[in-house]
Every structure is written in C-alpha cells, then in structure tokens.
Amino acid sequence: MNKNLLSENDITQIFDSNLLHEPIEISNISNKGRLVELMKKMISIRFVENKISDNVADGTVKCPAHLGVGQEAIAVGLAEHLCKDDRVFGTHRGHAPYLAMGGGIYELFAEVLGKEDGCSKGMGGSQHLFFNKNGYYFSVPIVSGTVPIAVGAALAAKMDNKNGVSICFFGDGAMEEGTVQESLNFAKSHNLPVVFVCENNFFASHMHILERQPNQSVARFAEAHSIKNLIVDGNDVVKVSNISKMAIEQARRTNEPFFIEAVTYRWKGHVGHRDDMDVGVMRSKDLGIWKERDPIARLETALIENNIITNVEKESLYNEIGDLINYEWERAKKATFPQLDVLEKLVYFSNKSMR
Amino acid sequence: MNNKITYAKGILTAHQYLLTKYKDVFVIGQGLWSPWYVGQTMANLDKDFGRDRVIDSPVSENAVTGAAIGASIFGYRPIVVHPRLDFMVLASDQIVNEAAKWTHMFGGQTKAAVTIRGIINRGGEQGAQHSQALHSWYAHIPGLKVVMPATANDARDLLISSVLSDDPVLYIDDRWAYDDEEEETEIVEIDLAAQGPKVKRIGSDITLIGAGYSAFQCLHVADVLKKEGISVEVIDLRVINPIKHAVMIESVKKTGRVLAVDGGWSNCGLASEILAGVVEAINPNQLKSKPQRLTLTDAPAPTSKVLEEIYYTTEEQIISRVKNILKNL
Ligand SMILES: Cc1ncc(C[n+]2csc(CCOP(=O)(O)OP(=O)(O)O)c2C)c(N)n1
Ligand SMILES: [Mg+2]
C-alpha cells in the first residue's frame, strides 16, 4: 500500500478478524476518568440500541431501524473532539453519532415510536434524526446523501472563519456512489475542513465488500484524491479518539480535509433486530469472531486490569444505565403522537408560522 | 389453465421466460441475490440462470444503469432493477439525459433497448426517502416509455413486452400489489407499442381511471360498489407514457362522470394528465358532474403511524368520493 498511508496499527492486523481481541492499550493515557466516560457512553449507546432492537422484535417499533451494535467506538471516540461550531452528518445507521454528540435518549426513543417529542418531532423515525444543541447533527438513509452536504457545511464553516469543522459518517457501500468521489475531489481541491469517516463494516446490506469492490479497504479512494488518510481499528475507542483528534485539529487549523477509515463490524442484520441472519445472508461464523473484538469489552477489561474500575463498579454502572434507559423508554411510550395537521403544515419552512 | 397467479409471481415468471428464451437478456441491480430487496419477484433467478446473467451490483445506481444502457447499444436487452424509485433518482441522469434521448437526437439511427424496473415500496413507517411514487415525473419525458401494471397477468406480459421493446422502458411495479391474485392466462408476447389503457370493469355510472396499485384499488372499489347497485367502469392505464386518451374519452362520454385516482402527488401529476386529456376532448354538456381527482396530499411521506394512516389513499376514500360525485357534491 502507498507509503503515505499512515496507520496506528499494522493494517493487516486490522483486517484480520482473528486478531485485536485483547484489551485495548490505555497505559499512556493520564486522565483515566476520561476513559470511564468513554465506557459509559458506549454502554449507554449499546443499551439504547438493544432496547430498540427488543422492541423491533416484538413489533412495538415499526419504522426500519438500522442498528450499529458493535460499532459504538467510532462515534464515541470522535465526538470527544467536537465543538459547538461543528456539524456532523450521519446515515441510516445513525443512532450512535447522535447519542455520542449528546442527543437525548428520550428524544431518540420518542422518534422511533413516531412521537411528537422525538428529535425530529416524530416526522423521521430511526432513519432521519435531527439534533442541534451541541453542534448540529442530522442523518438520512439515502446512501451517500449527506456526503456532499457535509462538504457544503465545511465550505460554510470555512467562509465563517470560526474554525468550525464538518464531519461526515458513511459506510463502505457509500464509497461506490459517484457523488462521494466528486465530494472528495471538491473538498480537496478547495481545501475544506471536512473529516470523512468511513465506517467500513465490510457489508452493504447482504453484499460483502469483496463482492462489490476490488479491495476490502477503502482508504485508497482518499489516496487517489490526495487526501490525508488513516486506517484505524474502529473497535478501539482510544485509537479512534487519537486519530480523530489529529484529523479534526488539522481540519480546524488548516482547512485540510481528512479521511478516516474505521474498520469495524455490525452485530445485527442490516436492518432490524436479528443478529444471526443478515437480509438473507448467514454470517454466524464471522460474527462470532468479530464479537471477540467487542469495543466495549476491550475497554472494560483494560479498565479493570489497570485497577481503574472494579467489577462491582462496572455492575452498578450497568444497572444505573439500564434503569435510566428503561425509564426513558416508558416515558417515550406515554408521549403523544404528532397533531394530524403537521402533515401539511410542515412541508414548507416558510409555512411553519401557521402552527 | 386454471391456475392462480400472483402479481409477484407474474414478475418472476416474466424473468424466467425472458432469461430462458432470449440469450440477450440479462438482469442487473441491487439486491438481486437477496430475497429481501425484491420480494419473491426474483427468487432463485441467480441460481437458475447464473450470476453472470443475474448480476447483483455495488451501490452505484447511476453507473450501473448507465452500464446497462451502454450494453443495450451492442445487442443486449438488459433489465436494471431499482428496489425503490427513491434510489433510482440517483440514476435519473442516465435514464432521462441518455436513454430517452438517443433515438431522437441521433436521427433515428440508434436505440436503447433497456428496461429499467423501479419498485414502489411504501408504508411501514419508512418515511420520506423510501416511499416515493415518482411515475408522473418520468412520464413527463418524451422518449421514455413508462409502464405500470396493476394486475398479475399484466405484470408478467407487460414486463415481457417492455424487454422486447426497442425503446427504453421504465417498468414500475408496486409491492403493495405483490400478493394480488388472478386466474393465470397463457403467456403472449405482445407489442408494447400497441398497449395502452384497458377497460377492466364495465359500468355506466362513473369512470374510475388509474394506473398500477391505484388501478388495482379501483377494481376492488368497483366490485364493492356493484353490490350496492353502483355501476363503476374502471380503466387501467397500463402504459402512462406515451399516454393514449381515446379509451378514457369514450368511457367518460358514456358515464358522464370521471374520477382519476393516483398514488402520486397532485400538482403536475398523472391524475391531472388523465383529466386534462379527457376534458379537452369532451363537450362540457356531456358531463354530469365535475371531473375530480384523488391523489396523495402534497407532502412527503411521514413516518409516524398516525400520519401514515391518513396519508395513503384507501379504498374507503375512493368509495366515499364516488358516492359524493354521484350525489353531485
Ligand atoms: C441511494 C441508495 N441506494 C440504495 C439504498 C439501499 N441501502 C440502504 S443501506 C445500504 C447499504 C449501505 O452500506 P454501507 O454504506 O456500507 O452502510 P452500512 O449499512 O454498512 O452501515 C443500501 C444499499 C439506499 N438507501 N440509498
Ligand atoms: Mg457497510
């Protein structure tokens, strides 16, 4: 591979699912409290998604829900470095970035249930999330749809001159859309402060990347557009955080785009709650190996081995987060549905005053 | 033959027929190796005909569609599958700017014998980007034939005739119709150019006109209202571009009343075209009531179930509209 292609790990290790099962390296991090925060965030995201998953299974949640269980470390590691002027764009698999940026659990639950208190006022469901308190976030399910949008958001940030940065999450499948290539070229040739984050989980619905592309790594596309890039173990929250810090700081300082390929694996099917069956494709064997690279377990074990938390503390943390999530779920179930007249009133922004 | 055939089976059968009989036919698009995207309409085709003729593709709508159109110049008759019209929007450039234009702009010396199959897949709280019925948009384009079957045998025979047509055809099927059954007829190769609107229920009180799933709803409505003594004539358009108005005009001259039903939006939509074509050709004094249309509310598809329930046109709504028209409301 090209020598400009940096990597925190040996790239071959990252792509070998039999490796990197051990606890992550945390000895060089002085602020251990920060690591506990990262752990809490990841656990919380996983519990939220498992809650949604259970309710997809029993039919309570009807909207298509694309769960990112197993991929939590990427959004969580990156969100550490975001500021209020930053803008983040997600995909159909958008719960984790939303929650990592501080999006409310209650508002997410209400949204997937189609309730008025939802983060998109019950108008979007799981696939269309909106949040603009700590920075700006939205996600949509048209594959690649937000990639040029993020580039435009970076253009606006550059014009504002306030050091805002734009972040774009997308999948390995999105790399196959022409608009992504166009966006990379435009971002580089105009030097726009955008960090492209490709969550390479090897699949686009039922198709493995090697059935769709000649190479299982996507960083080559950034290389082709002369965009600095790194491949990272997406299931190591510390490594993701380190690389994100560098990428985001560079974009802030120099307006240079950056491309991160975060290698990961999703534990659930493409859409919905099942984890043994992926839109007709059985992945049971690989899935078992990838579960050994669990981003949460790898951090937890490291924290316990380094005597930063005890097993007892971990248990009580789990209970605390579990209770909170149950509480928010019950609350969301009781929330009201949107008024029927919003169907027509919310079509044009200039009409909103009619409300 | 006294077998039943479903709409989904009709589409599957057409593929089997074409892939067996015509070596120049191949199928390409997303989800072709997975039952998930395209329901039972393509079950096992990859196994039966090989993955070099039934090709699942990268997430690259525009390139894949363009590639099929390109292959069509050199003797192939590809079918490109888009599991949702919403995703097909990304391929509009190749469909609208390329395939639809060549015959005209190259002086009739070349053609794009390609069939683009776009699926309408609505409901289930999927929302604004996964539910669009964009047939009217594409029917606006001269040079692009647009076919919308409403019933199982038509789903089969119109797909076959689309593929055998020398023009680019957008064939739009609707997942809501997949389980619809009818008595199976013999496969006949019909010339697409000769196809157009058909009277599928004969009646005298009012003419209902629609295409695809809307026509299918109208057929049910006619059967329901017949029991109440209301005689409804139903016209299934089948081909919406180029559109032929003659059958519609004759029917409305007879019944004096017309309701156009469409699963798209109203402004510049198929229902408007139906009414315009009829009204232009009829003396006002031949009409017993104002021509009307029933379409979606002009809003994107919502997700929340309470909004979804009021968004899509139901057979009950068609029935009550028919009754109002008969009361001259
Ligand atoms: C333009 C477009 N084409 C196809 C789809 C259907 N689709 C939804 S998600 C998906 C796979 C995307 O894969 P990837 O980008 O790797 O994201 P992942 O699902 O792995 O997170 C596809 C093909 C879509 N939503 N939009
Ligand atoms: Mg993927």
Side-chain angles (χ1 to χ4, degrees):
Chain A
M1 225 171 252
N2 193 305
K3 66 176 176 347
N4 294 329
L5 208 61
L6 309 165
S7 175
E8 279 266 312
N9 280 114
D10 178 356
I11 292 166
T12 51
Q13 274 194 45
I14 296 180
F15 284 96
D16 185 344
S17 55
N18 291 302
L19 301 177
L20 304 178
H21 296 176
E22 61 279 2
I24 64 170
E25 181 56 56
I26 57 168
S27 57
N28 50 352
I29 293 182
S30 49
N31 179 357
K32 308 288 187 206
R34 199 189 118 210
L35 294 173
V36 178
E37 284 311 307
L38 292 176
M39 172 183 157
K40 278 190 197 164
K41 257 191 168 175
M42 287 201 288
I43 296 170
S44 172
I45 292 173
R46 178 153 313 167
F47 280 22
V48 165
E49 290 212 293
N50 281 337
K51 188 75 181 175
I52 294 172
S53 178
D54 293 344
N55 283 277
V56 170
D58 75 10
T60 308
V61 169
K62 299 259 183 334
C63 66
H66 301 81
L67 303 172
V69 178
Q71 305 187 183
E72 298 88 351
I74 302 166
V76 170
L78 186 133
E80 274 205 298
H81 310 290
L82 293 175
C83 302
K84 260 202 159 329
D85 274 321
D86 294 340
R87 46 221 70 186
V88 180
F89 300 88
T91 69
H92 55 289
R93 211 172 298 290
H95 300 161
Y98 162 90
L99 292 166
M101 278 185 73
I105 293 171
Y106 169 71
E107 288 80 2
L108 176 61
F109 284 160
E111 191 57 46
V112 301
L113 289 166
K115 303 296 181 74
E116 199 174 33
D117 283 351
C119 59
S120 301
K121 310 289 178 203
M123 300 303 284
S126 161
Q127 300 193 103
H128 320 88
L129 306 176
F130 184 83
F131 173 70
N132 66 351
K133 290 191 191 73
N134 315 325
Y136 182 100
Y137 174 79
F138 79 62
S139 55
V140 297
I142 288 293
V143 170
S144 80
T146 51
V147 180
I149 307 290
V151 171
L155 178 64
K158 186 178 177 183
M159 288 171 165
D160 285 348
N161 223 355
K162 287 193 221 148
N163 298 322
V165 165
S166 179
I167 311 288
C168 191
F169 286 93
F170 51 92
D172 48 296
M175 295 301 322
E176 293 150 21
E177 295 285 10
T179 190
V180 174
Q181 306 303 323
E182 297 169 29
S183 300
L184 293 174
N185 177 60
F186 183 62
K188 178 63 187 178
S189 49
H190 285 258
N191 273 337
L192 302 178
V194 51
V195 178
F196 299 99
V197 184
C198 183
E199 299 185 272
N200 182 358
N201 60 12
F202 299 98
F203 279 86
S205 57
H206 61 296
M207 291 257 276
H208 189 269
I209 188 166
L210 290 176
E211 293 179 300
R212 302 175 281 118
Q213 297 183 27
N215 189 315
Q216 63 177 343
S217 169
V218 299
R220 67 187 194 282
F221 291 113
E223 206 55 33
H225 292 283
S226 309
I227 294 176
K228 283 198 186 133
N229 58 86
L230 280 170
I231 299 172
V232 63
D233 169 5
N235 290 14
D236 179 335
V237 71
V238 168
K239 290 223 165 71
V240 171
S241 175
N242 290 345
I243 282 175
S244 303
K245 180 167 193 276
M246 193 189 96
I248 291 171
E249 278 178 1
Q250 181 192 289
R252 250 190 240 303
R253 214 178 46 244
T254 65
N255 288 326
E256 284 277 320
F258 201 100
F259 186 104
I260 298 172
E261 174 176 359
V263 177
T264 187
Y265 206 78
R266 64 171 153 71
W267 289 12
K268 299 284 182 185
H270 169 64
V271 59
H273 66 286
R274 297 192 57 161
D275 64 355
D276 58 335
M277 170 80 120
D278 191 51
V279 288
V281 184
M282 299 295 279
R283 305 184 305 161
S284 319
K285 199 174 112 268
D286 290 345
L287 183 57
I289 298 166
W290 275 98
K291 283 190 174 175
E292 298 290 311
R293 210 191 261 188
D294 179 357
I296 297 180
R298 286 167 75 202
L299 173 59
E300 274 172 8
T301 313
L303 291 174
I304 290 168
E305 282 178 359
N306 286 271
N307 299 317
I308 297 161
I309 58 163
T310 63
N311 266 314
V312 176
E313 284 167 337
K314 179 187 137 183
E315 284 307 312
S316 70
L317 198 70
Y318 271 60
N319 290 334
E320 212 175 284
I321 295 173
D323 288 347
L324 172 74
I325 280 162
N326 286 334
Y327 171 78
E328 297 293 36
W329 180 258
E330 291 310 316
R331 212 155 66 87
K333 279 211 308 204
K334 290 189 201 103
T336 50
F337 285 106
Q339 299 290 311
L340 298 186
D341 61 358
V342 300
L343 181 63
E344 285 178 76
K345 283 187 179 169
L346 289 182
V347 180
Y348 299 98
F349 195 81
S350 50
N351 270 5
K352 271 186 30 182
S353 55
M354 285 165 61
R355 284 196 85 182
Chain B
M1 270 200 289
N2 272 324
N3 287 338
K4 291 275 187 194
I5 183 171
T6 62
Y7 188 98
K9 182 81 192 310
I11 297 172
L12 178 65
T13 309
H15 279 99
Q16 290 164 336
Y17 177 87
L18 288 161
L19 286 162
T20 304
K21 185 165 174 195
Y22 295 98
K23 295 291 162 242
D24 50 355
V25 171
F26 69 87
V27 197
I28 187 166
Q30 279 170 55
L32 270 51
W33 299 345
S34 154
W36 182 69
Y37 268 113
V38 285
Q40 286 307 302
T41 64
M42 308 213 57
N44 291 324
L45 288 178
D46 59 327
K47 291 173 194 80
D48 297 344
F49 296 94
R51 290 189 164 186
D52 48 349
R53 286 182 77 204
V54 179
I55 307 168
D56 208 327
S57 82
V59 196
S60 311
E61 289 79 9
N62 207 23
V64 166
T65 305
I69 296 171
S72 82
I73 308 174
F74 296 98
Y76 288 89
R77 293 188 176 276
I79 304 171
V80 190
V81 180
H82 293 285
R84 279 191 179 76
L85 290 188
D86 315 66
F87 310 158
M88 195 179 83
V89 169
L90 278 72
S92 295
D93 168 51
Q94 290 292 325
I95 301 170
V96 173
N97 286 331
E98 301 302 339
K101 301 292 191 281
W102 294 348
T103 293
H104 193 263
M105 88 190 172
F106 293 130
Q109 302 176 96
T110 191
K111 63 180 198 294
V114 64
T115 299
I116 296 134
R117 176 178 166 216
I119 304 176
I120 299 177
N121 185 350
R122 296 168 285 189
E125 301 192 17
Q126 298 178 86
Q129 299 183 333
H130 279 64
S131 311
Q132 296 174 91
L134 297 171
H135 48 281
S136 298
W137 245 32
Y138 291 97
H140 188 63
I141 308 298
L144 179 66
K145 293 199 168 173
V146 182
V147 170
M148 284 181 89
T151 55
N153 289 304
D154 262 355
R156 184 195 62 201
D157 292 343
L158 288 176
L159 180 54
I160 294 171
S161 56
S162 295
V163 173
L164 299 181
S165 161
D166 278 340
D167 290 308
V169 180
L170 174 57
Y171 171 98
I172 300 177
D173 55 291
D174 193 315
R175 284 188 84 130
W176 278 351
Y178 277 12
D179 295 331
D180 176 40
E181 275 191 336
E182 65 180 351
E183 202 91 339
E184 185 170 15
T185 58
E186 203 92 44
I187 293 181
V188 272
E189 287 189 5
I190 46 181
D191 176 11
L192 186 63
Q195 301 310 307
K198 259 192 188 166
V199 175
K200 287 211 173 151
R201 293 285 186 281
I202 295 173
S204 53
D205 293 330
I206 185 169
T207 304
L208 295 189
I209 309 176
Y213 185 71
S214 297
F216 167 81
Q217 287 182 305
C218 290
L219 293 171
H220 278 207
V221 164
D223 297 341
V224 171
L225 287 176
K226 191 174 176 185
K227 296 187 192 120
E228 299 182 27
I230 299 173
S231 171
V232 177
E233 180 140 307
V234 178
I235 296 176
D236 172 5
L237 292 181
R238 301 168 74 243
V239 179
I240 65 167
N241 194 46
I243 192 162
K244 296 176 182 169
H245 289 106
V247 173
M248 299 182 248
I249 293 163
E250 282 319 302
S251 172
V252 179
K253 276 184 182 163
K254 179 179 79 178
T255 63
R257 301 185 182 90
V258 58
L259 174 63
V261 182
D262 187 39
W265 295 295
S266 69
N267 188 26
C268 294
L270 180 60
S272 324
E273 178 54 38
I274 293 169
L275 293 190
V278 168
V279 167
E280 277 176 340
I282 281 189
N283 273 329
N285 60 16
Q286 287 177 287
L287 289 169
K288 297 177 190 154
S289 70
K290 284 180 287 190
Q292 294 194 20
R293 59 196 156 146
L294 188 53
T295 64
L296 288 185
T297 301
D298 283 333
T303 46
S304 186
K305 66 178 175 208
V306 293
L307 299 176
E308 213 174 43
E309 274 163 19
I310 59 166
Y311 184 67
Y312 293 110
T313 305
T314 60
E315 289 172 18
E316 292 70 42
Q317 285 171 328
I318 302 174
I319 288 172
S320 84
R321 192 62 90 80
V322 166
K323 289 180 175 170
N324 283 345
I325 293 173
L326 291 175
K327 286 184 218 146
N328 239 328
L329 287 177

